[in-house]
């Protein structure tokens, strides 16, 4: 609702129909599935363990940039990425028993997230960032509703609604800033 309202207020709602391209829809699906994997792993693993798996994202993103964009990544950058990952492992101190099927779900989510960023960079710069964000959050909402349909529900109070509303605002802002960061628009 927040992003949709901003689209209307900024006069960008007219771009939504043209945003229904395979590239943007695939990017949005990767975003939604990545978030779903992350939440699923988070339910079954400790936060520190999920975070350590997610910290592999720079490695995956760097590798994908070499494969997809033929970017040259020197040994110094590879070393920096690996050293950063090792540093994260020292801080998080994940246990070997934490790497189970749910760790693989987190790894799939991380890979989907890195792939999402690779796709984001391919989107035509004439497409407004807010429109890409809108398509992404709509897709995420759809996946969330599908997952929610399989859950047993209990009454939700105003405190939970407030938490969810604040989380939705932050997630929407994070999605917008991530799309903006990975585009060549700036």
């Amino acid at each position: 609702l927040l992003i949709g309202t901003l689209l209307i207020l900024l006069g960008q709602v007219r771009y939504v129909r043209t945003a229904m391209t395979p590239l943007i829809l695939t990017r949005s699906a990767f975003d939604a599935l990545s978030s779903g994997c992350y939440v699923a792993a988070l339910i079954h693993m400790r936060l520190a363990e999920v975070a350590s798996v997610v910290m592999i994202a720079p490695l995956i993103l760097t590798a994908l940039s070499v494969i997809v964009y033929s970017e040259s990544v020197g040994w110094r950058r590879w070393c920096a990425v690996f050293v950063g990952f090792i540093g994260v492992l020292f801080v998080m101190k994940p246990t070997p028993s934490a790497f189970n099927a749910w760790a693989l779900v987190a790894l799939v989510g991380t890979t989907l997230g890195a792939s999402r960023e690779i796709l984001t960079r391919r989107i035509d710069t004439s497409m407004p960032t807010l429109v890409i964000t809108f398509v992404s959050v709509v897709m995420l909402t759809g996946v969330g509703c599908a997952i929610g349909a399989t859950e047993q529900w209990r009454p939700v109070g105003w405190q939970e609604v407030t938490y969810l509303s604040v989380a939705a605002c932050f997630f929407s802002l994070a999605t917008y800033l991530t799309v903006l960061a990975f585009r060549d628009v700036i």
Side-chain angles (χ1 to χ4, degrees), residues 158-169:
W158 284 108
Q159 186 175 12
E160 289 87 3
V161 170
T162 302
Y163 290 155
L164 287 171
S165 298
V166 170
C169 289

Side-chain angles (χ1 to χ4, degrees), residues 39-183:
V39 170
L42 205 57
I43 290 169
H44 299 283
M45 296 174 66
R46 292 184 356 209
L47 178 61
E49 293 162 346
V50 175
S52 64
V53 174
V54 171
M55 293 302 160
I56 298 171
L59 290 172
I60 296 170
L61 192 55
T62 302
L64 286 175
S65 70
V66 170
I67 294 166
V68 175
Y69 292 116
S70 300
E71 291 185 8
S72 63
V73 178
W75 67 270
R76 289 184 182 127
R77 286 191 182 151
W78 279 114
C79 287
V81 170
F82 281 114
V83 167
F85 176 67
I86 297 298
V88 167
L89 289 179
F90 277 121
V91 171
M92 298 292 180
K93 296 179 186 163
T95 60
S97 64
F99 293 97
N100 55 30
W102 292 109
L104 291 176
V105 170
L107 181 60
V108 167
T110 301
T111 304
L112 286 168
S115 300
R116 169 197 64 214
E117 307 316 351
I118 293 294
L119 291 177
T120 301
R121 192 162 172 151
R122 288 184 171 229
I123 297 172
D124 186 356
T125 57
S126 66
M127 180 61 62
T129 300
L130 196 60
V131 174
I132 300 166
T133 303
F134 178 75
V135 174
S136 192
V137 296
V138 166
M139 182 87 65
L140 179 67
T141 301
V143 168
C145 288
I147 292 170
T150 66
E151 298 291 322
Q152 185 173 355
W153 285 81
R154 62 179 176 83
V156 179
W158 284 108
Q159 186 175 12
E160 289 87 3
V161 170
T162 302
Y163 290 155
L164 287 171
S165 298
V166 170
C169 289
F170 279 115
F171 192 86
S172 296
L173 178 62
T175 301
Y176 176 81
L177 293 174
T178 302
V179 172
L180 189 63
F182 280 91
R183 297 184 78 201

